[in-house]
Amino acid sequence: MKKLIFAMSVSLILVAQEKVDEATSARMRSEELEHSKIMHTLHMLTDRYGPRVTGTPNHEAAAKWAVAEMTSWGMKNGHLEPWDFNRAGWLNESATGQIVAPVRENLKFEVLAWTPSTKGTVNASAIEIVLPQGPPAPAAEDAAGGRGGRGGGRGGAPARLGPTKDEMEQWLAATKDKVRGKIVLVGKAAVIPVNFEPPAKRRSDEQVKAQYDPNNPNGGRGGRGGGRGGRGGEADPNRLTAVQVAEQADAMLIAGGALMRINDAARGEGIIVAQAHRAYDIAKTVPTVILRNDDYGRIERLLEDGDDVKLAFNVVNHIYPEGKTSYNAVAEIPGTDKADEVVMLGGHLDSWHGGTGATDNAIGCSIMMEAARLIEALNLKPRRTVRVALWSGEEEGLLGSLAYVKQHFGTAEDPKPEWFKLDAYFNVDTGTGRLRGAGVFGPTEAAAALRGVFGLFTDWGVGGVSNTNSRATGGTDSTSFNNAGLAGIGMSQDPIEYNTMTHHTNLDTYERIIPDDVEKAAAIIAAAVWNVANRDEMIPRFTKETMPAPVAVR
């Protein structure tokens, strides 16, 4: 108990002694609210250059534009840093689809990334197949998340254990000859219930304050940095995983001569989540689209009536071999007496292709660019160098930021010289909501060092700062820095429509942005970066003795 009281006393002393540049922070507020350029930046990244799939000309053009724009503001050393994406880029150029019999209707869909084009317009009968699933998972495993993700299977169905190898072989043999020359719907349509209690779009101030209260033993510990938890038990070696089932089904569709595959979007309100085929290799799948749940269900019901449902699709995708090299976009504000030390801020510039990547994550990039612009616009000269980095490859697994951290910093166990010079890295990546708090990788003193500057923005909804000791990667690019033992700072935000509507969906567009939220976020980040860049000491770190054990990148 005495140790706990002493630790709390040390944190309170640090908060009391922390110097905060209130005058400059106030100037940043005024500059942003009166002369903001953030919505123009968002317009360019979304309307002009979106979507920005890694490995595509769209992304590279967006990265080059961002560097040029930051350079025009007075920033220095603007450049693209290459890294090995190790796969060709992919982008959909055009796609049309219709029911042509027994009714005529345009279909709403998105193309699955890294799948091939159709061979011109394909016009064929539809057939629906259902993959073998095995028995329901035991209740304990299902409750823990099991194999179904999100606590269950698609559309809220119970998680399944998967088929045995014999069951899979029997299904493949019985199905292969049925798919030749057909457009194949895979799986039953999800039943999406009406949501009578939609989640709140804003978090209450009381909830946020409780989360970030340093004296609350049940408060947050740094947001998304804590890993994803287990599977609730060991996998049965006699049963196939979902990935193994999907791989064998893909191979069967190719060998069986299927013309294309249709997946159910399994979301209500016309929402379609379009990501990538797991193999990132067009030779390992047939042309594939994700169809709006309403359309998928309609076709399924017509097939159940015994109708010969004919569909027509024309999908044109393009492969970019040069996309095997991707780029992070970087620009700096040079420091003065501590120029060899660096404060970084950034977000991932790449997106998926269903929308224009506005809330995920042109917003994060625009906030960080605008924060740096504020420092330049006020003609401020930070002690430490301020470096903006806009990542690619985040959607494929944090690949761009991991490559950058490996190249520049190494790890706590095998550090490069720059590891000792990076003060902190700020990250935004959860949509258009107001900034509500920060989670920093480091000891309690790291959070205490940041509370002063974030405390200047309680009137804008900022609740505080927590610390995390997790080095697990996942969720967003700040965890790439945490993984190396560096001070990654991830910002939490109001949810607004992020998880319910825009995250990786066809609705992720400029229209979903709340200007007031992003403008205020830029001023908050600018003030935080400015104060960290001018502290006498770097943000406190774990010592060699207290550094959490390394965690393998996943």
Side-chain angles (χ1 to χ4, degrees):
M1 184 67 179
K2 290 181 178 179
K3 289 182 179 180
L4 176 61
I5 293 172
F6 175 75
M8 291 170 58
S9 300
V10 169
S11 295
L12 291 172
I13 291 170
L14 282 170
V15 171
Q17 294 178 341
E18 188 68 33
K19 297 178 182 178
V20 178
D21 188 347
E22 296 186 38
T24 300
S25 298
R27 291 177 65 199
M28 289 172 169
R29 284 184 182 235
S30 297
E31 172 66 22
E32 180 58 26
L33 295 182
E34 295 172 12
H35 306 292
S36 177
K37 293 187 178 180
I38 193 168
M39 294 307 293
H40 171 71
T41 300
L42 276 160
H43 156 63
M44 293 299 292
L45 293 181
T46 57
D47 298 333
R48 179 62 183 84
Y49 295 109
R52 305 170 304 279
V53 179
T54 300
T56 65
N58 293 36
H59 171 266
E60 186 175 344
K64 288 179 178 177
W65 177 85
V67 168
E69 187 75 351
M70 289 188 285
T71 300
S72 75
W73 297 338
M75 297 179 70
K76 308 299 181 184
N77 193 28
H79 63 284
L80 300 184
E81 290 203 14
W83 60 275
D84 185 10
F85 186 40
N86 197 34
R87 62 196 66 155
W90 175 98
L91 194 64
N92 171 249
E93 293 185 357
S94 64
T96 59
Q98 303 85 28
I99 303 175
V100 295
V103 297
R104 299 191 69 87
E105 185 66 54
N106 290 328
L107 297 171
K108 285 75 175 177
F109 64 94
E110 297 293 338
V111 180
L112 185 66
W114 276 275
T115 59
S117 306
T118 58
K119 296 178 179 178
T121 298
V122 294
N123 192 320
S125 296
I127 184 176
E128 184 177 61
I129 62 175
V130 178
L131 300 175
Q133 298 177 317
E141 181 173 338
D142 196 8
R147 292 171 178 261
R150 302 190 196 178
R154 188 175 68 172
R160 298 278 183 164
L161 291 178
T164 64
K165 296 176 182 178
D166 286 343
E167 288 169 343
M168 189 69 196
E169 289 176 1
Q170 292 172 16
W171 180 86
L172 291 170
T175 309
K176 181 178 179 180
D177 292 338
K178 299 178 182 178
V179 302
R180 184 168 300 279
K182 298 292 198 299
I183 295 175
V184 183
L185 283 70
V186 178
K188 299 292 288 184
V191 177
I192 310 298
V194 174
N195 186 359
F196 290 101
E197 297 180 359
K201 290 180 170 56
R202 298 281 192 196
R203 298 182 64 194
S204 71
D205 290 342
E206 293 73 20
Q207 182 188 49
V208 172
K209 288 176 182 177
Q211 176 184 347
Y212 289 105
D213 182 353
N215 300 315
N216 178 6
N218 298 315
R221 301 295 296 175
R224 294 193 282 177
R228 298 178 182 175
R231 291 190 170 198
E234 293 295 324
D236 184 343
N238 296 312
R239 294 190 176 277
L240 301 178
T241 66
V243 170
Q244 290 171 324
V245 170
E247 289 174 343
Q248 293 190 33
D250 280 338
M252 182 273 293
L253 291 173
I254 295 171
L259 296 180
M260 66 177 293
R261 170 176 175 159
I262 299 177
N263 296 335
D264 176 21
R267 294 277 294 269
E269 300 176 326
I271 295 171
I272 302 172
V273 174
Q275 299 180 165
H277 187 272
R278 82 195 76 80
Y280 292 91
D281 183 349
I282 64 170
K284 294 185 177 180
T285 182
V286 296
T288 304
V289 301
I290 305 102
L291 188 61
R292 185 177 65 162
N293 175 254
D294 312 65
D295 292 328
Y296 196 98
R298 181 183 189 181
I299 295 171
E300 178 180 274
R301 291 187 293 273
L302 290 171
L303 289 171
E304 290 172 349
D305 288 343
D307 284 317
D308 180 11
V309 180
K310 292 189 179 296
L311 307 176
F313 281 87
N314 189 344
V315 177
V316 181
N317 302 321
H318 193 89
I319 294 296
Y320 297 94
E322 63 274 20
K324 290 183 178 180
T325 298
S326 189
Y327 303 92
N328 297 318
V330 180
E332 296 178 337
I333 302 173
T336 52
D337 62 307
K338 291 181 176 288
D340 61 326
E341 297 177 0
V342 180
V343 178
M344 292 187 66
L345 62 163
H348 72 88
L349 184 58
D350 67 305
S351 74
W352 287 121
H353 55 286
T356 55
T359 68
D360 189 23
N361 185 37
I363 275 179
C365 295
S366 299
I367 288 170
M368 300 317 196
M369 290 173 65
E370 182 73 357
R373 189 195 68 80
L374 292 176
I375 295 173
E376 285 285 359
L378 296 175
N379 198 29
L380 300 173
K381 306 298 179 186
R383 299 179 69 187
R384 294 179 177 84
T385 295
V386 172
R387 181 183 300 159
V388 174
L390 310 179
W391 315 111
S392 60
E394 191 272 355
E395 299 294 7
E396 292 76 26
L398 314 181
L399 301 181
S401 59
L402 286 169
Y404 185 92
V405 169
K406 180 179 180 180
Q407 177 184 347
H408 286 268
F409 306 121
T411 65
E413 292 70 34
D414 186 18
K416 296 187 176 183
E418 290 182 67
W419 188 90
F420 300 95
K421 297 295 185 178
L422 181 73
D423 194 340
Y425 166 74
F426 290 82
N427 191 82
V428 171
D429 185 20
T430 46
T432 191
R434 292 180 300 180
L435 300 187
R436 305 311 304 270
V440 57
F441 176 80
T444 56
E445 294 83 0
L450 294 167
R451 286 196 184 102
V453 64
F454 283 114
L456 298 178
F457 296 93
T458 55
D459 60 319
W460 282 359
V462 178
V465 186
S466 63
N467 69 295
T468 179
N469 62 5
S470 173
R471 293 178 68 177
T473 55
T476 193
D477 293 292
S478 55
T479 65
S480 297
F481 290 79
N482 300 1
N483 185 259
L486 296 165
I489 301 172
M491 303 303 300
S492 70
Q493 297 171 261
D494 280 332
I496 309 299
E497 303 164 330
Y498 189 65
N499 289 316
T500 58
M501 184 177 290
T502 65
H503 183 228
H504 295 180
T505 79
N506 54 318
L507 303 183
D508 188 8
T509 62
Y510 181 94
E511 285 70 22
R512 303 271 64 80
I513 299 163
I514 301 174
D516 186 65
D517 283 8
V518 296
E519 290 169 1
K520 289 177 177 176
I524 293 167
I525 293 295
V529 168
W530 172 252
N531 277 270
V532 170
N534 289 287
R535 296 180 78 250
D536 290 333
E537 304 295 333
M538 296 200 333
I539 295 296
R541 294 185 180 185
F542 289 114
T543 65
K544 183 177 181 180
E545 292 73 25
T546 61
M547 178 66 70
V551 176
V553 172
R554 60 168 182 255

